[in-house]
Amino acid sequence: MIPLRDTQPSHTVPVVTIGIIVVNVVVFIHELSLDAFSRNYFIATYGLIPARFEAANLVTSMFLHGGWLHLLGNMWFLWIFGDNVEDILGRWKYLLFYLMAGVAAAATHVAFNPYSRVPTVGASGAIAGVMGAYIVTFPRARVLTLVPVFILFTWIELPAIFVIGFWFIIQLFSGVASIGYSQLQQGGTAWWAHVGGFVAGIVLIKL
């Protein structure tokens, strides 16, 4: 399922959401401008590597991405759900919320993969927090979703609680399945970062 847009109107211009998207795009373009050696060094310096943990990288890692699809997918989800959460919280609270959710997501990843030497990058943990907050504040919202039907695709308007809930179940089950799987020398999706960010989003929005 690919969400296309939600039905929840936003009453303010999502300045912070747009700003976060711009920063992520600019940083990624900078990554692309580097040669292979410099790019690897840049990611190793600012990405999150649990085996040589640095607190600052809990924040810096959420503004790095591993490829165009990684970047575009994350920014698309942020654009769909972020404007409404920003609308509810206000700009400065929303920015603080976003960063705290991202840090919580990264910390969860470290907790489940403490010996991993693979740099973890991406905004998906923070965006998972935004989705957790969205499902709490707009449980009756609906999301226009692209759904595969055999070899074709169709557009269906589904409850946001179903779309986001289905996404979270996939992250949770994938995270459980990854327990005991060595990530010392291998990459992959940081499932537990998504779970941690989502739960943090729900807790933070209630606070």
Side-chain angles (χ1 to χ4, degrees), residues 15-16 35 49 75 81 104 112 119 138 143 149 156 158 171 201 204:
V15 173
V16 175
D35 60 75
I49 303 177
M75 296 304 101
F81 301 111
F112 279 89
F138 305 105
V143 178
V149 180
I156 303 176
L158 297 171
Q171 311 310 304
L204 288 169

Side-chain angles (χ1 to χ4, degrees), residues 125-207:
I127 295 166
V130 172
M131 294 167 68
Y134 187 98
I135 206 172
V136 169
T137 51
F138 305 105
R140 295 192 178 93
R142 302 180 73 82
V143 178
L144 183 64
T145 309
L146 188 63
V147 179
V149 180
F150 298 105
I151 61 172
L152 302 175
F153 285 87
T154 187
W155 289 268
I156 303 176
E157 202 173 88
L158 297 171
I161 196 167
F162 174 81
V163 174
I164 297 176
F166 180 75
W167 174 89
F168 176 73
I169 289 171
I170 291 175
Q171 311 310 304
L172 181 60
F173 275 82
S174 299
V176 171
S178 72
I179 293 176
Y181 175 74
S182 174
Q183 294 189 0
L184 291 180
Q185 302 296 336
Q186 304 180 66
T189 303
W191 303 110
W192 286 110
H194 299 170
V195 173
F198 188 85
V199 173
I202 291 174
V203 172
L204 288 169
I205 197 69
K206 288 180 177 293
L207 292 177

Side-chain angles (χ1 to χ4, degrees), residues 32-81:
L32 294 181
S33 72
L34 301 172
D35 60 75
F37 177 83
S38 299
R39 186 181 307 122
N40 289 336
Y41 180 78
F42 182 77
I43 291 174
T45 300
Y46 297 105
L48 178 65
I49 303 177
R52 54 179 182 85
F53 175 78
E54 294 185 30
N57 291 3
L58 293 171
V59 176
T60 58
S61 62
M62 72 177 78
F63 294 97
L64 307 180
H65 287 85
W68 278 111
L69 286 179
H70 190 203
L71 173 72
L72 294 175
N74 278 346
M75 296 304 101
W76 183 249
F77 271 71
L78 178 59
W79 177 250
I80 292 174
F81 301 111

